[in-house]
Amino acid sequence: LQKHAASTVVYAQLGWRGTDKIVLPDCLITADAITPLNPSNNIANATMCLQYPPRGDLETWKSIVSAYESPRMEGFQFGFCVGFGAPLFSQIGVAGVTVSMVGPPGAGKSTAMHASTSIIGHPEHFGRVDMMTDTINAVYGKLGVLNHFAATMDESSNLPPETTSDLLYTITRGQGRQRQTRTGEARDNHGNWALPLLTTTNKSLLSKLAAFKDDASAESVRVFEYNLPGN
């Protein structure tokens, strides 16, 4: 039976497989076919894709995000389009970058961030990481599962300066911590990625780091930060 039955490939990471396949939580996309698949436990647990499956239709989604096609919405458009640009990172050899949207409360930062996540999965759950409540290994694991799709973090202004510095380095490193088995062998590693982290904040991350460190130039080149209208 094993010889005659077709094998089932279980994917532990989303995104590109080579240059001609893209893995989504529920399907495999190639140039000439879309093949349904069941997500692995790794993907299902990290993205909550089984608890929050796709709903609605494309035309309704397009109508909602068209709200950004207005004057003075360029900053929100950029944040939204981070989700479309994420799969290009691995194709141009970039491990990662942090995109920080700075604006006052109620400006619409989180809405643009959720719209960006909704391109692939659930707006609030699919790409979210939380350095305040999740363990560092859980964060690395989530980034590894997302692989080539954007991660998001809401209200990063609450992060301590040390954690902010570590986060900026982590994203651009493109790899989680290396671990070994009890016998000294390297464990299977699903913690590599090439993606952007889209984050919102009320206060500049660069200003926070500048007040914390004498020289924050190394961190500053690892984050693209811009101010939204009204700030």
Side-chain angles (χ1 to χ4, degrees):
L1 288 175
Q2 289 179 343
K3 291 180 180 179
H4 292 283
S7 61
T8 300
V9 179
V10 178
Y11 297 97
Q13 292 179 286
L14 300 170
W16 290 99
R17 285 297 177 275
T19 59
D20 59 349
K21 301 182 181 70
I22 292 184
V23 178
L24 295 182
D26 60 349
C27 65
L28 178 68
I29 299 177
T30 60
D32 54 4
I34 298 178
T35 306
L37 56 81
N38 294 320
S40 66
N41 290 336
N42 203 40
I43 291 177
N45 294 337
T47 65
M48 303 181 71
C49 60
L50 295 181
Q51 295 94 319
Y52 299 96
R55 292 183 178 179
D57 60 85
L58 178 60
E59 293 305 315
T60 301
W61 181 84
K62 288 165 61 177
S63 175
I64 292 172
V65 299
S66 67
Y68 294 119
E69 298 176 2
S70 304
R72 291 180 56 81
M73 298 294 284
E74 292 81 3
F76 300 99
Q77 292 173 11
F78 186 90
F80 168 63
C81 287
V82 166
F84 285 110
L88 301 178
F89 275 48
S90 65
Q91 306 301 304
I92 60 176
V94 176
V97 68
T98 298
V99 179
S100 175
M101 294 190 293
V102 185
K109 308 183 298 297
S110 297
T111 302
M113 183 188 69
H114 292 327
S116 179
T117 307
S118 72
I119 296 169
I120 302 296
H122 190 279
E124 296 185 27
H125 300 288
F126 178 78
R128 183 179 65 184
V129 297
D130 193 334
M131 294 285 286
M132 294 292 291
T133 60
D134 297 340
T135 66
I136 191 64
N137 286 336
V139 172
Y140 286 152
K142 181 67 173 283
L143 295 175
V145 169
L146 293 173
N147 195 19
H148 301 141
F149 295 124
T152 59
M153 178 180 293
D154 206 10
E155 295 303 334
S156 57
S157 54
N158 296 325
L159 293 178
E162 301 94 329
T163 305
T164 301
S165 177
D166 291 343
L167 176 64
L168 298 183
Y169 277 111
T170 295
I171 295 299
T172 56
R173 189 165 59 239
Q175 184 175 18
R177 292 176 178 175
Q178 293 294 310
R179 294 180 294 169
Q180 291 182 318
T181 64
R182 293 181 179 179
T183 60
E185 297 178 351
R187 292 182 181 271
D188 292 337
N189 179 26
H190 299 302
N192 298 334
W193 59 80
L195 52 73
L197 170 68
L198 179 61
T199 182
T200 67
T201 178
N202 298 332
K203 299 178 181 179
S204 168
L205 298 182
L206 296 178
S207 298
K208 179 192 298 186
L209 292 171
F212 172 68
K213 301 179 66 175
D214 293 333
D215 183 8
S217 58
E219 289 91 336
S220 66
V221 298
R222 289 169 166 80
V223 57
F224 181 85
E225 185 171 83
Y226 65 97
N227 295 327
L228 292 170
N231 190 47

